[in-house]
Amino acid sequence: MKTRVRFAPSPTGFLHIGSLRTALYNYLFAKGLGGTLILRVEDTDRTRLVEGALEEQIESLAWAGVVFDEGPHVGGNFGPYVQSERFDLYREHGMILVENGSAYYAFDTAEELDSMRQRQQAAGIAPKYDRSSMRNQYTLGEQETARLLAENADHVIRLKVPIGTEIRFTDAIRGDVVVNGKEIDDQILLKSDGFPTYHLANIVDDHLMEITHVIRAEEWLPSTPKHILLYKAFGWEPPIFAHVPLLLNPDRSKMSKRHGDTHVKDFRQKGYFPEALVNFVALLGWNPGTDQELFSMSELIEKFSLDRVHKAGAVFDFKKLEWVKQEYIKMMDPTILAARILPDLEKAGYPRIEIDYVAKVIALLRERISFLTDLVEFGDYLFSDTLAEVSSETLATIKANAELVTALTAFANGLTPEAIADADAFKTYSQQIASDAGMKMGAIMKPLRLAVTHREVGADIQQTLMLLGADRCKTRIVDFIR
RNA sequence: GCACCGUUCGUCUAGGGGUUAGGACACCGCUCUUUCACAGCGGUAACACGGGUUCAAUUCCCGUACGGUGUACCA
């Protein structure tokens, strides 16, 4: 049987970083097995819909490199892939369960349910639908139920959880899980607005879409027994379940409960590379059992397996993400990086931004920047002859030093391309200047850097001068001490 | 409260009946460096606790503690 997995988000907001990881694991799992990844939109809660959320989620996923074989945006043979467009299907399936005795009508109002829960809490028992005392098919009787339905009274359909059963299933990550039937609530399957709840829609769609593995977040683990019950009630074979551990805040609470940078778009806007974010997030809860830390997407696909997914939640460590991001800046092809930063350089209005040249700049400065976008400011003197402002005190101090001014002038006057062509030539040349001026090298290098770049820190000075070219350096030094 | 899931350095993790418990990030120190970085080397640091099983338990079993999730006409 062909492996088919799905990622099933609700379009209620931006794509969460934890959702990215769940989607990624589904993607890696499917691709590693030559299977199919499906996007299914779970929009059955009509009150929580957010305009544009679906588009944003698909876009963020695509940015990260998670692509779908089937879904509302790409089509497929198992559609529609949006649950609100499958409305009739759920009602039909709900009726099947009512007819075979696995589900029943209930007419309770929200207030009635509230007071039921309050009574239960006061009595110190677990809040759970009380089939024997509430207003439903069983307590009301056949005739009254038929009458209420005929007059279109508000009603829901609830799952009739068989008493005295034990539900067990094997989770691909956690092993055997056993739950006593008496712990399971008579879950609502169809709401009074006619829409299904997650539980029903999920099972119907997973079955109809021939999903073989349900890889989802750990928060679903407690409701999985309900799902198993539903499969039984339909007489269907359940898929294999795999509940991945949660992503945690530093205080170990669920990461989605944190406000701040938990959306993929936040990382994207800050300038993280998708490759780095994916790499980092993949390792939160999974590892191949080797010392390798850096993986391309194809390596992840090749190595990923569910049995190496951890059971415990993982704290999202921003410091480690920083490191991964830095590794990518250092190892990615400078030309590719140049292409990515080009729009920002253009926006800054810099004149010297031919791609090959920008690639050279990146190769020179990549170890000193945190984000590629830092280059716009950090490397300004390489892209333009309009230089940063040097403070007047600094300038005055340098100009007041006659020896230094003489040395810098001499440096500029004698400067040739050969003198800065390599480290040795540069050393020879500057030592000559220094000894002529009766100064130490160290006393000249810092002012030289300042004169040419107008900045106090930067890459190796000889390489900087070489990239700039002798003429440009000359002009800048002369302008600086004038 | 109840149910379920979990617990190896601060963090991500490897490991697994007999190991000096391994790696990575972070942190600290040293080296390199005419800046800032990078790089290299070294260091601090962990099996939650209590019982059992066993010649031997961090590893298996049972409890306890702690943490997380769930407990909706949300997903």
Side-chain angles (χ1 to χ4, degrees), chain A residues 192-464:
Chain A
S192 56
D193 66 359
F195 276 88
T197 57
Y198 170 86
H199 307 285
L200 208 221
N202 185 255
I203 270 63
V204 169
D205 287 348
D206 282 346
H207 178 257
L208 262 23
M209 293 180 180
E210 297 178 12
I211 300 302
T212 56
H213 302 256
V214 171
I215 303 168
R216 77 223 307 190
E218 185 185 352
E219 57 203 342
W220 291 109
L221 197 51
S223 48
T224 304
K226 285 172 197 166
H227 304 159
I228 298 285
L229 241 25
L230 245 8
Y231 280 102
K232 272 203 187 122
F234 281 117
W236 296 337
E237 184 71 19
I240 291 168
F241 290 97
H243 290 91
V244 307
L246 261 20
L247 253 33
L248 271 22
N249 296 318
D251 69 359
R252 304 202 77 87
S253 61
K254 185 167 141 184
M255 200 178 173
S256 64
K257 289 181 175 169
R258 176 181 192 266
H259 299 288
D261 292 340
T262 58
H263 297 299
V264 171
K265 74 143 174 40
D266 297 326
F267 293 91
R268 184 180 181 178
Q269 279 167 359
K270 284 196 169 166
Y272 287 89
F273 298 144
E275 295 89 339
L277 191 62
V278 162
N279 190 145
F280 172 70
V281 125
L283 257 19
L284 248 27
W286 171 85
N287 82 88
T290 64
D291 285 348
Q292 188 176 351
E293 298 274 347
L294 273 8
F295 301 86
S296 65
M297 188 68 100
S298 51
E299 283 178 300
L300 289 174
I301 289 169
E302 183 196 321
K303 296 179 196 305
F304 183 81
S305 72
L306 284 178
D307 55 19
R308 291 201 64 91
V309 174
H310 242 247
K311 294 184 176 78
V315 173
F316 191 96
D317 182 2
F318 284 83
K319 289 252 178 76
K320 181 110 183 214
L321 204 213
E322 289 302 299
W323 175 77
V324 173
K325 175 207 68 187
Q326 203 62 30
E327 291 302 303
Y328 275 84
I329 289 186
K330 287 188 296 194
M331 75 179 175
M332 285 173 76
D333 179 350
T335 308
I336 290 173
L337 293 177
R340 288 194 191 182
I341 193 64
L342 226 44
D344 295 272
L345 297 176
E346 266 167 28
K347 202 156 65 190
Y350 291 143
R352 294 189 76 193
I353 53 171
E354 308 79 50
I355 190 145
D356 291 344
Y357 175 72
V358 174
K360 283 183 191 162
V361 173
I362 287 169
L364 185 63
L365 296 181
R366 70 204 315 189
E367 277 153 16
R368 287 153 229 263
I369 53 172
S370 178
F371 289 97
L372 193 53
T373 46
D374 293 344
L375 209 61
V376 176
E377 220 189 301
F378 190 74
D380 63 344
Y381 56 88
L382 291 162
F383 302 120
S384 162
D385 292 319
T386 308
L387 301 176
E389 203 71 35
V390 175
S391 81
S392 49
E393 304 93 81
T394 308
L395 206 51
T397 312
I398 289 172
K399 285 188 183 173
N401 185 339
E403 261 184 342
L404 180 57
V405 171
T406 308
L408 287 176
T409 307
F411 189 98
N413 286 341
L415 193 59
T416 60
E418 293 71 38
I420 51 174
D422 60 62
D424 284 346
F426 175 70
K427 192 171 183 183
T428 308
Y429 179 67
S430 6
Q431 267 170 349
Q432 187 59 50
I433 298 286
S435 75
D436 288 353
M439 296 178 70
K440 283 189 179 165
M441 282 272 276
I444 296 177
M445 289 302 128
K446 277 189 180 186
L448 177 62
R449 174 186 300 283
L450 195 63
V452 176
T453 70
H454 285 209
R455 295 197 178 275
E456 296 187 9
V457 299
D460 175 80
I461 185 73
Q462 176 264 321
Q463 296 204 36
T464 304

Side-chain angles (χ1 to χ4, degrees), chain A residues 6-12 40-46 49 81-84 198-199 201-202 205-206 220:
Chain A
R6 85 303 195 277
F7 175 64
S10 289
T12 54
R40 185 175 71 224
V41 182
E42 312 225 321
D43 60 346
T44 54
D45 184 351
R46 309 311 286 170
L49 297 185
Y81 293 93
V82 177
Q83 289 185 330
S84 57
Y198 170 86
H199 307 285
N202 185 255
D205 287 348
D206 282 346
W220 291 109

